[in-house]
Amino acid sequence: CPMARAQPLTCLAQLWLLLCGAAAYVPAFSAHRLTRPAWPSAARLALPVAAATPTSERTGGDGRRAPRRKESAANALLQKLDALRSTRSVPVDATALSGLVRPLADGLRGPMLLEVLGGLRKRGKWEMALALAQMVEANAPAAPPSRPKPRYAAPAAPAPVDAPAAGRKQNSAAASGVPEMAGPAGRDSRDSRGGAAGGGVGVRLVSPEDSDALLARARAAAAAAGGYSGDGYSEDDSEDSEDGYSGDGYFGGGYSGEGSEEGSEWGGVVSSGPPVDTVHYNVLLSTLAMARRWREALELLTRMRERSVPRDTVTYNAAISVMKSCGKWKLALKLLRKMRSEGIPPDTITFSAAIAACSREGEWRTALRLLDLARQAGVPPNTITYSAAVSACEKGGAWAQALRLLVGMREEGVAPDLITFNAAIGACARAGEWERAVSLLREGMAEAGITPDVVSFNAALTAHANALPPKPAEARALLDSMEASGAPPDRISYNALISALGRAGEWEAAVQVLRSMESGELQHGLAPPLRPDAITYTAAISAAADSAQAQAAIDLLGDLRSTGLPLSTLPFSRAIAAQAAAGDASAALGLLRELTEEGLKHNAVTLNIVLRAAAEGGQQEAALRQLLQILSAAEAAGAPPPADAETLALAKSMIDALAAPAAGQPGPGAQNSPGDRNSPAAQNSPSGLSAADVAALRPRLRRVQASVAAAEARAAAAAKRAEEDDRALASIGDPK
């Protein structure tokens, strides 16, 4: 410090006195368990919470402050809020809530309000949290307007956020998340641990446990400061403060990033200004991120602007995280651009959240541009940032770019972790680059000192299944080595093996693996035997369909339906494809009818397979009648027709073929035309197509045509918006 340089002897003498005093104080504290010193008076600290509490409850018999009363009041209020009646239609009883809030007057603010909002966040009651904050704001005057915001100036590079310190952890398959594309092995990607077999890698920026820790640290900072201090906003209390508030706040000198490390976790501190301050809004945004409510998050940002509540970096980080959890990557980019235009500097978490939002949709080009922008802004990317970018490349099928990122992060001194490697292996798996996937699994992870888990092996197994040609022998050898590597195979591992065997034409071996799972023969260690699921049966049906084994596909579909497992459209589609490949149009039409009876969704691909098989097998009338039923059901449900341009062309060609005069038959206008229900052919066939059916089918085909035209228009508009997004993304780095 300057004093040490100017007067070193004086500084050393004072330091010696401090050490002697500490040495004398510590034994006395241990022996006599001295009580803590008296807290500063409430009058000097101007505590609104204390003012709303009777003096007899605030102080003990010796006049000392009771530090736990504030937390107890918050817990009591939380218990009362839990007791309020709530239904799905009316989640918050406004009258009862007002009756609880009004008696508290000005006491429900600051640390107490922070405690209550944090408790509601843990309970997942985002409606209650929003209603409570809005009611507190309504009972208090609006804050004074903030001064005009300056243009953004490039901030100094913040310290990189260490991956373990950021609380990164892998989610379980049951964790709620936005459903993404299933991997080749058929696993739903809500298992965010990574790997192609798991459908990708999910990067959790802040886990719920870490959010709890952050909230606890914010409460500790408020308690350490004794609550509020200062007289409200000063001329420096504005949104452009890089670290939070810079006016009268905590510790008498305000919060500028130096007084307390704890206060910055929620972006700013509790001030004596508006009752719902920046830190409270940050907790609300965090609650909405857990509930995936992006519209409400945007409304909160608007409310902050209307009430002149400063927004800081943490505010926008939480808002961008909401958009990430909801799959709104374009809104995340807009928030990033707005953040820069308001003079609020982004940090590593900001760019990590924005890149993670892009990774959910496979927007790997945008993710890489954001990564470059972070470097240009002086924000060093960390392991989380790189993992999100690699995950974007995985979902976008850009395996080469994923490997370049892995090399680049090592050159920059950023250590990859398990999630990063799983994403890179998954990128190789989607492209069928099995040799590179195995190299990362065996060599790359060993060099980094990382032990592969079952997700790593499943991704490599999927790479063998997607290889051209498939590598079933190598996949089986890799699966056999899993248990010795400390990662026993699971159901997903065997699903990937069945896929590899099926794509290699070894459908009998694939079915044998399925039968081994049915009999309970596959058991590893003390874990229960592995049983097949719907994805296992679907992989076996696909194996039979790829080998043109129509009867085997029908039998496997029957086995699946007899198990009581949840059905989906995919196994029916694969079985229908097997029947169509065998030239059995009647069986394909029958499966399509069963698909309708099961109440499953139709799609244009399956419908076109059946129509083509029916046209080749002379089953035009039956196919058109089923098409009429499917289109009518979609119209009655208000859903878009499950058809495309090929469906439209096939249906029109069938109608023209039925209307054309056959050899020795009258023309289409005759009494006994093929489309007449009274003709002998129609009477002998239960699926005969009448003129009324054709008349009913034509307007629905016109609806299909309109739907196809609308889809083409949407595609053109999406391409135009993509160009605009590219220009907007390029302007994020421009302060103007």
Side-chain angles (χ1 to χ4, degrees), residues 532-705:
D533 58 1
I535 298 175
T536 313
Y537 281 99
T538 303
I541 294 171
S542 299
D546 292 340
S547 299
Q549 298 294 325
Q551 188 58 44
I554 290 289
D555 296 339
L556 290 170
L557 181 61
D559 295 341
L560 171 60
R561 300 175 72 176
S562 64
T563 59
L565 293 170
L567 298 176
S568 63
T569 306
L570 185 57
F572 281 91
S573 299
R574 298 301 297 150
I576 288 173
Q579 308 309 312
D584 194 346
S586 299
L589 288 168
L591 288 175
L592 185 64
R593 190 180 305 109
E594 294 177 8
L595 180 64
T596 306
E597 294 172 353
E598 292 286 350
L600 301 174
K601 291 184 178 181
H602 293 274
N603 58 67
V605 176
T606 305
L607 195 56
N608 294 341
I609 291 175
V610 175
L611 292 180
R612 284 195 298 268
E616 296 174 358
Q619 300 285 334
Q620 293 92 339
E621 294 179 353
L624 288 176
R625 283 186 63 81
Q626 285 205 38
L627 177 62
L628 176 60
Q629 295 175 2
I630 294 172
L631 297 180
S632 300
E635 184 178 5
D644 55 10
E646 184 180 0
T647 312
L648 189 64
L650 289 170
K652 286 184 177 180
S653 64
M654 287 184 180
I655 294 175
D656 294 341
L658 291 176
Q665 295 285 340
Q671 223 174 7
N672 288 335
S673 65
D676 191 351
R677 188 183 296 273
N678 297 323
S679 65
Q683 291 178 356
N684 295 333
S685 174
S687 60
L689 196 70
S690 66
D693 294 333
V694 175
L697 183 59
R698 290 188 185 279
R700 288 168 174 81
L701 292 178
R702 286 193 293 270
R703 184 169 177 262
V704 173
Q705 187 173 8

Side-chain angles (χ1 to χ4, degrees), residues 87-106:
T87 61
R88 180 170 299 181
S89 58
V90 184
V92 179
D93 187 348
T95 304
L97 180 62
S98 177
L100 293 177
V101 174
R102 188 175 293 110
L104 296 175
D106 294 335

Side-chain angles (χ1 to χ4, degrees), residues 279-348:
V279 64
H280 303 114
Y281 274 101
N282 292 348
V283 176
L284 290 174
L285 288 170
S286 173
T287 306
L288 294 177
M290 297 172 62
R292 296 180 176 84
R293 308 295 300 187
W294 62 274
R295 290 184 177 88
E296 288 79 1
L298 295 180
E299 292 174 0
L300 277 184
L301 293 177
T302 302
R303 193 194 306 175
M304 293 181 72
R305 184 184 69 249
E306 293 173 349
R307 299 187 64 86
S308 300
V309 178
R311 294 178 294 273
D312 57 11
T313 302
V314 179
T315 306
Y316 276 99
N317 289 351
I320 293 174
S321 296
V322 176
M323 305 307 153
K324 175 203 65 149
S325 62
C326 297
K328 302 292 182 181
W329 66 277
K330 293 183 180 180
L331 285 178
L333 296 185
K334 290 182 179 179
L335 287 176
L336 178 59
R337 185 167 64 250
K338 183 174 178 60
M339 178 183 185
R340 297 288 293 271
S341 66
E342 292 182 358
I344 301 175
D347 59 7
T348 304

Side-chain angles (χ1 to χ4, degrees), residues 261-287:
E261 181 182 355
E262 287 85 357
S264 64
E265 298 293 358
W266 286 107
V269 298
V270 183
S271 76
S272 57
V276 183
D277 214 335
T278 304
V279 64
H280 303 114
Y281 274 101
N282 292 348
V283 176
L284 290 174
L285 288 170
S286 173
T287 306

Side-chain angles (χ1 to χ4, degrees), residues 121 163-169 204-217 265-266:
R121 181 187 61 83
R168 307 181 65 236
K169 60 184 295 186
R204 179 184 287 274
L205 299 180
V206 181
S207 64
E209 292 80 0
D210 300 322
S211 297
D212 298 340
L214 299 184
L215 183 60
R217 296 180 68 184
E265 298 293 358
W266 286 107

